[in-house]
Amino acid sequence: MIKQFIIKNLISIHSGGVAGKMWSSFQLAMVPAVGLTVSERITGWYLESYVFIFVLGLALIADLIAGIWKHMKFNSFSPKKMITGFSQKIGLVILVYFLTEAFIQIIADAELDSIYFKVASKIMIFIYPAGNALVNIGIITDGKFPPLAFLRKFEKFNKTLNINDLNLKNNETDIDSNSAD
């Protein structure tokens, strides 16, 4: 089909009338132009988001390792459940990331302030695998690490989506910027 399209248009350029040559040239030029436009959009998005994507990938791997470790500790490891669960987690992360990116684009097109939503959604997406990994590490260490108060910050953020819930200081406005601390 593509081969016939190209051959038909090349023949028209070679032996057709002026209008036919122009139309065939236009058609042949549009195919790569559309592909390059889509590729440029994807590349631009990737360059803007590659650090987050990299860190999210590491969080997924950390969650997988901690999950395997936890299940090995309790003799409940199942390769089938591991593959199913990990595939489901990756699928959900990709789906939610796509949906939130689409929502951010819609908000940006409406010229609304989307920075809060963008930050909150990225934290939410990251906390899903990273939070699970930290909980599994807590189970592996019998609650010694990470501290329960640290995990409660993530739990509270998941309930409220208030970025300030992740603040490790009680009130940052009380801190003197000139102090040695």
Side-chain angles (χ1 to χ4, degrees), residues 114-165:
S114 64
I115 192 70
Y116 178 82
F117 183 80
K118 187 174 189 176
V119 170
S121 64
K122 285 189 176 188
I123 291 171
M124 174 192 67
I125 293 166
F126 178 75
I127 284 177
Y128 179 52
N132 285 342
L134 291 170
V135 168
N136 285 337
I137 291 168
I139 292 169
I140 293 165
T141 63
D142 297 321
K144 295 175 186 160
F145 182 75
L148 191 55
F150 184 73
L151 294 176
R152 284 192 182 128
K153 295 274 187 189
F154 293 116
E155 183 181 11
K156 189 172 181 184
F157 173 79
N158 278 335
K159 289 179 183 176
T160 65
L161 280 183
N162 184 349
I163 295 173
N164 292 325
D165 290 338

Side-chain angles (χ1 to χ4, degrees), residues 9 15 18 20-21 27 29 33 36 49 58 66 77-78 84 102 112 115 118 128 131 136 148 155 162 168 173 177:
N9 282 302
S15 60
V18 174
K21 288 180 180 187
Q27 286 180 323
L36 287 173
S49 304
L58 290 177
F77 179 74
S78 164
T84 303
L112 299 172
I115 192 70
K118 187 174 189 176
Y128 179 52
N136 285 337
L148 191 55
E155 183 181 11
N162 184 349
L168 295 176
T173 59
S177 62

Side-chain angles (χ1 to χ4, degrees), residues 75-94:
N75 296 320
S76 62
F77 179 74
S78 164
K80 182 179 178 182
K81 286 183 180 178
M82 177 202 65
I83 292 169
T84 303
F86 190 63
S87 298
Q88 179 182 352
K89 190 167 286 185
I90 288 176
L92 289 172
V93 165
I94 290 170

